[in-house]
């Protein structure tokens, strides 16, 4: 498992090093099919060049792990902080986010040398630091690993967006690189079924012990009324029915801000969908492909997810409902993740028992599921002191919670309590829809 | 009481008519100090010209009450729907919101004639409609009254914004029109005190019976942990301390979106504040006045409210906390409202007993209090069918709840369950801050 | 003649006063059909509210005539400079141009009182100033009169634009106010005929003696090759043929910047044209009217004029050609001007002898004729010292010369040497097309 | 001479091929110091990635030379027309100009293969085409060579802009690559001297015979009054005096549009200038260098050139004056051009005889000299039929003529009649100032 150990606070030096090596190697493996030119471009302000991700994740270890080492280490290149700090005001000034794609230097080779130099230093640190020195940054070290996993997902989504911006519609790994998906089950072609969950005062959030992001805690109680979730995500076939029913032209299904977003952006379908001679295709990391009717619909904004749900007579789940369902159904964090290297959501596989109505399928992997919950702090949440307090807390406004991970998330990175968040207009992540309803 | 009856579903025809007359007259009285020219301007896209408010509230009665009358009534002017529909997609096309200030016609006199024609028709309807006809639109009629009260507040805030845009800094009602505030209490000059409330599963939302907006229901239960509220809103003196402590230049107190809003808009203090020769003044409806140190700080965005709270080591309340406090403390809906005709928040009055630590003062009136709660539907909320379903539901995204009413709200319009909402960047409403904390 | 004397440097005090009174009265007469509300609005940044024009022209006399008077006169209102200075950096700061429509105060009545106060002071100045005092500002006084005439035209065009922005499409002077045009000649319905002019070294520009704007001089020589002008402006019928031939969809006729302007603005025909059920109408100051096929096409940008000319196998004239034609043909400055109060271009009248091929008709009045000449200084041009040097000189970039005056220009304001100028994208002036070609 | 023959219509096949090879090789040599990443970025919409230039110039030969060949040649890649067509509407749709930097593919290696494939075909065409076939495209072939030379200059300016956008301020050819400039003369440190030219009717424009762009003709007569030109361009020392005299803060020197451009863009000095600890430096292709006081000022907009000239009590030349001066002074097209590989303007060299006041120095090379003349067609100019008619003609609006070539222009590309043109706000070309005055 390439991510084994990323949540384990108890690893010894050997274990930390092995885990570090695996995570760092995974990042580079993701980039290995890229041409040098692919590393450079920034196809929109929200996306970053692949080489920026490679460098930024290294800067993270330099800044939050190595720089705390007694005696200290001069930065590999003192100018890199300005280039590769993402948003940490406490660390200093930085280049504007939408200018990351204007930088041809450092070159890709230099960035890899930078990574390598940081790797050497991290290993040296693991070898030579005193125990108390190691313990003092252990949490930041583990955070750095999880942070790098987040950027692994962003590399996938940003590379996809960059290739899609190209009229040549290039494939990420060339012809023949595509991985076949598992045999689909019948579940995807029939109507969704409802899986019911009882209400009650429920513990929500992470209980510590292993690694979790600060925004997953504190664990606390919420009153969750009875509810039901659909047994699988909404499929392309279903979403197409919405589209063909005039869904994109009927304001009654849309939030007001969503309707404006649709109009301003000219949305007539999910991102990456295009119609040619009556047939729908979507752009994937393997190029343009016919739309798979049984695959979960993907690359929809919160607004589209919400409009679809209204059209379907249902609603999105709250994040407390989603977490409750994940916990109560005992769903295992397994499925179509980054490790399967498909980089595309798959129809619910036949290995899923159609008889089981106790557990929703595909809660984990395939597509991030928009909830209806705005991203807010849990009761009692306090950002950490210092720069790492900026990691999550300052973004708790104007964003919506997504749950469950996607086909671009490392499996070891995801938990039932994991809170992802994006602005409601975002579409370039692998974001999909699961319906919910009151019971 | 100018608004008596606006929430009463049981009024007979006589009562409805009296209530209608009072509400309509109040709206016009608010406009009486205006010059014709003041009715026309739109100082920003969020604000509307006063004459637009006068006409739109009339169009509302025409559209949602009169047009349902058996036999029907032709609209007073069939072209007015395009001009005075605010946002009801189900009713039809309309002029772009930011172009309302480009319309010199209909003139102010024509708008008043339009109001008068609608008034005649409403009265005729109240006289002549069959009982079942009346009952069928009774809810819409009551909604129309409450809707007009909302626009009364908007007239105050929009006129203020329009006058403030003028370098001449004109006064709304001329020299000598200002109303003195009551004698302030000592509460405002000392530090705020905390009023504690117990936790528990609490009923939240309106129980029907009398009028409430759809977004105030359904009444449902939430688990509210123990908490404390400050006994009064944050004052100008306190906010000035934040400002002078570099509050506007220290990103650690700000949400990320807030920091961008501050930078993009060049905020260096609340809206309407200006500094001249070392002294702070603020623009009021009575012109530029020295800043009253004991008055509640006003015209701050959610971002500023949130940043202030962090600086002060506290937080904003959730809306469930706020409502719980209002209910448990037995606070009466009274205070500095529209009816006091001050149109400016006042220091907590001496009539407030300083010995009472059981109830926060000024929960109602003076300033709307930003909560930390995004505007979301209550469990089980379903927008009504038809155009009136667009009244509130479609705005449940990217906005923040405010509670308690302001010095520009009609007293009869406000309830403990009342949910006001604005985008976090808004500042032109009378919006202020009350601190909260965990217990 | 309402403008008699505006160019006469030799008027005595009596004559100046009579001329002043006539010009000022004409401005107010143009506004007399307006509702108070019509004076307030600003329908785009390029246009100004009518009351701003009324005040600005008064401020001009205050600033450039009265303030020079020995002993001086305090300004009528010291705050007005900030509001009514248009663009004179040397005079001081001023409100942003696109915020003129946000000002409800001073009211229309106050602006008229301001005008009246300025009038009293100007008359007092004419009565009481010493001869040398009068002579020192004589040129500025005459400039003030001509400046006010320019704003008379702008009042017409800006009021038209404001009314057109209103979905009610109101008429400027109400029903029945329209003035009939003269009987049209056959010239407009047949093809245009070419009037040839010989080449040579030609004197260009104004020779002084009477008033002219600084940009009309110095008079100098240019080498003008032989050329021909069309005998009349392009008509709506002709322009419609261009439109129906796909003129707006064929880039080969357009300058590159023009093609972008067309796309960015969504132009599909001249400003104020609209099609309903197959019939073209245009908005006029008398409301929406069927398009007059023989009327000169109007409200086209330079880009459309240029594209039309290419489509027609011709070109626009240079300003030197236009001036040469006006001088050599002996055309009299007469025709459809502001004084005819039609405020709309008219078909070439039957009183124009169709046998005369010596002189192009309608060189003066009806529509400003786009030339192909960018607005540049004449050889030897030097802006005056001081603020009045900003009058014309600083705009000599990115604008195109127009010649001949329009139906909104005062007749006494126009000369063969008169150089009007607007950016090539402008359409709200009464701008039309006359074809030219090499001989 | 790498450009020998680019203007020669009489070359035989051998000569054409040699000339083609030289021009193509020069382009690639310019790119040879670049990293792959440097080829990809687009630092502003006006600039293009280096690999786009490499491909576009090849597409030009494919489209305008090879595609006319009898029997025809399928394009090397049919998808490249969409990517590498710059602005030829008649040829077809194309990618938006500001998205050229979003394309990672085709890769740099693929672009070089594309170039090579085009080269093979061009050579085959030169070998195998019939004489009449060759003659039919001879003009387009020569145009293709000159077109590629234009893009050589753009590669230099666009690469410079791209490197300058990088906080690392990288050098184009690394440490030690810089070429020393010649020993400067005393001319640059003393005041400029005036060289006078007589007036008269002058022939202006290219007379054919050899290659010239269409916009350089037809040759025609203009009346040029007597004038004087400064004997050298304005230096950094002189421009610094303007700056230190408050030139950027005093609107009286600026055109109105220029003043807005300065404010909107925050200009406080020429592009690439920066001040650190009291010392001015400018970014060059060899990195940040101290400002050379005797070097011609460079990277100024027309607005800054015009403001400087007013401040200095002079003016810019008309293009007719400039051409007259170049012709009458017998200035040879020689100096600091692309071939000197300095890529930076140099102080007037000591080899220039200071005693000679007959001829202005540095008319050619070093910096393009802003004239005061808007870019308009010469009398009788007609764009060619077909796509190549779009080459120059459609840009004759809103641009200003520059003359003389720069340190980034191939020497063989420049002529006394050469008309370069850019919008008045442009600064990223090597643009400078030469003063003129009336005599
Ligand atoms: Fe990061
Ligand atoms: Fe409303
Ligand atoms: Fe003016
Ligand atoms: Fe090109």
């Amino acid at each position: 498992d390439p991510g084994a150990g990323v949540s384990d606070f108890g690893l010894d030096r050997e274990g930390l090093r092995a885990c570090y090596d695996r995570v760092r190697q995974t990042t580079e493996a993701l980039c290995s099919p890229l041409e040098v030119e692919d590393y450079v471009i920034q196809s929109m302000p929200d996306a970053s060049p692949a080489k920026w991700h490679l460098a930024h994740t290294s800067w993270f270890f330099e800044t939050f792990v190595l720089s705390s080492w007694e005696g200290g280490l001069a930065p590999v290149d003192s100018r890199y902080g300005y280039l590769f700090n993402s948003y940490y005001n406490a660390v200093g000034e930085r280049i504007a986010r939408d200018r990351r794609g204007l930088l041809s230097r450092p070159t890709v080779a230099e960035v890899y040398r930078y990574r390598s130099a940081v790797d050497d230093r991290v290993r040296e640190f693991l070898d030579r630091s005193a125990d108390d020195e190691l313990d003092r940054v252990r949490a930041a070290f583990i955070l750095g690993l999880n942070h790098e996993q987040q950027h692994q997902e962003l590399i996938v989504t940003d590379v996809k967006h960059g290739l899609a911006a190209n009229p040549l519609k290039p494939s990420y790994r060339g012809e023949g690189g595509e991985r076949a998906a598992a045999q689909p089950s019948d579940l995807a072609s029939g109507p969704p079924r409802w899986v019911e969950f009882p209400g009650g005062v429920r513990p929500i959030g992470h209980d510590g012990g292993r690694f979790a992001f600060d925004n997953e805690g504190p664990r606390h109680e919420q009153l969750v009324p009875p509810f039901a979730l659909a047994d699988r995500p909404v499929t392309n076939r279903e979403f197409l029915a919405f589209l063909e029913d005039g869904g994109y032209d009927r304001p009654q299904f849309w939030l007001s801000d969503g309707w404006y977003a649709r109009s301003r952006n000219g949305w007539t379908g999910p991102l990456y969908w295009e119609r040619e001679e009556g047939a729908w295709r979507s752009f994937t990391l393997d190029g343009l492909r016919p739309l798979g009717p049984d695959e979960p619909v993907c690359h929809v904004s919160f607004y589209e997810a919400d409009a679809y749900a209204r059209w379907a007579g249902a609603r999105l789940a709250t994040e407390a409902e989603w977490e409750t369902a994940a916990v109560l159904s005992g769903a295992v964090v397994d499925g179509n993740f980054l490790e399967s290297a498909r980089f595309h959501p798959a129809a619910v596989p036949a290995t899923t028992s159609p008889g089981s109505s106790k557990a929703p399928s595909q809660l984990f992997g395939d597509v991030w599921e928009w909830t209806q919950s705005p991203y807010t702090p849990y009761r009692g949440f306090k950002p950490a002191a210092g720069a790492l307090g900026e990691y999550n807390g300052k973004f708790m406004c104007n964003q919506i919670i997504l749950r469950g991970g996607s086909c671009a998330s490392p499996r070891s990175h995801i938990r039932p309590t994991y809170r992802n968040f994006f602005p409601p207009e975002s579409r370039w992540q692998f974001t999909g829809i699961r319906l919910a309803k009151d019971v």
Side-chain angles (χ1 to χ4, degrees), chain A residues 250-271:
Chain A
R250 296 165 69 186
Q252 62 263 42
F253 303 127
W254 294 70
L255 286 164
S256 181
D257 283 358
W259 187 248
Y260 282 112
R262 160 213 162 272
S263 306
R264 186 174 56 244
N265 297 310
W267 292 342
T268 57
L271 181 63

Side-chain angles (χ1 to χ4, degrees), chain A residues 90-423:
Chain A
V91 176
E93 295 292 310
R94 61 205 166 276
I95 196 169
R97 180 177 183 119
D98 60 358
R99 293 177 65 86
R100 291 175 186 164
L102 305 188
L103 307 182
S104 58
R105 317 285 181 94
T107 63
V108 173
E110 287 167 336
V111 164
Y112 274 111
R113 281 198 292 275
Y114 173 48
R115 277 185 76 83
S116 180
V118 170
D119 287 347
D120 290 347
R121 287 161 176 236
V122 167
R123 289 178 195 128
E124 187 187 343
F125 170 77
L126 287 176
D127 288 347
R128 295 186 28 221
S129 56
D131 284 353
D132 64 328
E133 284 172 337
L134 177 57
D135 285 343
R136 207 161 47 229
V137 297
R138 181 178 293 271
F141 192 99
I142 301 283
L143 179 63
L145 297 173
N146 282 271
H147 172 257
E148 181 135 353
Q149 287 187 310
Q150 291 184 306
H151 282 275
Q152 288 167 4
E153 176 150 10
L154 291 173
I155 287 170
V156 174
T157 58
D158 294 359
V159 164
K160 180 171 183 177
H161 196 269
L163 296 175
N166 196 318
L168 303 179
K169 301 293 175 203
S171 164
Y172 161 62
R173 48 194 164 186
E175 294 306 308
E178 189 171 348
R179 308 292 165 82
Q183 185 64 24
S185 131
D186 293 342
L187 281 178
S189 50
R193 296 184 302 176
W194 295 106
V195 186
E196 299 197 359
F197 296 91
V201 170
R202 298 279 319 155
I204 297 291
H206 197 271
D207 62 0
R210 292 175 69 82
F211 172 81
F213 286 107
D214 58 354
N215 63 10
E216 297 174 57
R219 188 167 171 90
H220 64 290
E221 295 193 322
Q222 287 190 34
L223 179 60
V224 179
F227 67 96
L229 284 196
D231 67 336
R232 57 163 177 74
V234 171
T235 62
N236 284 331
R237 174 187 292 112
E238 290 167 328
F239 197 85
L240 204 49
F242 164 69
L243 188 154
E244 290 174 346
D245 192 37
Y248 279 83
D249 297 315
R250 296 165 69 186
Q252 62 263 42
F253 303 127
W254 294 70
L255 286 164
S256 181
D257 283 358
W259 187 248
Y260 282 112
R262 160 213 162 272
S263 306
R264 186 174 56 244
N265 297 310
W267 292 342
T268 57
L271 181 63
Y272 300 136
W273 282 30
E274 53 180 71
R275 187 169 200 172
E276 203 175 20
E277 296 168 13
W280 285 98
R281 296 188 302 174
S282 78
F283 182 76
T284 74
L285 279 157
D286 294 303
L288 273 169
R289 288 191 344 173
L291 199 64
D294 291 342
E295 292 168 1
V297 67
C298 195
H299 297 301
V300 291
S301 65
F302 167 74
Y303 296 128
E304 288 157 297
D306 178 79
Y308 176 84
R310 287 171 205 266
W311 173 82
R315 60 171 174 85
L316 304 177
T318 64
E319 64 165 330
E321 289 171 343
W322 195 99
E323 187 170 323
T324 295
V327 169
L328 292 187
S329 68
V332 176
V333 181
D334 206 352
N336 181 15
F337 281 107
L338 182 75
E339 288 77 6
S340 63
R342 283 205 292 271
F343 309 128
H344 195 68
V348 55
T351 52
T352 303
S353 158
S356 149
S357 65
K358 292 287 178 43
S361 65
Q362 293 178 297
L363 276 174
F364 296 105
D366 288 303
V367 290
W368 286 102
E369 302 180 8
W370 285 110
T371 71
Q372 66 173 244
S373 298
Y375 180 37
T376 55
Y378 283 161
R379 167 83 181 186
F381 172 76
K382 288 266 185 310
L388 285 177
E390 299 183 55
Y391 198 100
N392 275 316
K394 72 182 181 181
F395 300 110
M396 292 178 173
C397 193
N398 301 323
Q399 311 217 39
I400 307 286
I401 292 287
L402 301 106
R403 292 291 191 124
S406 82
C407 57
S409 314
R411 195 191 54 73
S412 59
H413 186 68
I414 300 299
R415 290 167 293 279
T417 58
Y418 195 99
R419 306 174 83 197
N420 198 0
F421 50 90
F422 278 96

Side-chain angles (χ1 to χ4, degrees), chain A residues 27-89:
Chain A
T27 307
E28 298 186 10
L30 279 173
C31 294
S32 62
L34 300 181
E35 300 285 352
V36 168
E37 294 85 343
D38 298 329
Y39 285 89
V40 178
I41 61 172
Q42 179 178 34
S43 51
M44 65 167 172
D46 285 340
S48 294
K51 72 171 180 165
W52 187 90
H53 288 295
L54 290 173
H56 163 71
T57 46
S58 306
W59 168 87
F60 193 96
F61 279 104
E62 264 205 302
T63 304
F64 296 117
V65 174
L66 296 177
S67 74
S68 305
W69 193 10
E70 197 81 4
L73 278 169
V76 174
D77 188 316
S78 62
R79 306 166 307 168
Y80 283 1
Y82 187 81
L83 298 180
F84 300 126
N85 176 0
S86 52
Y87 55 65
Y88 297 89
N89 291 311

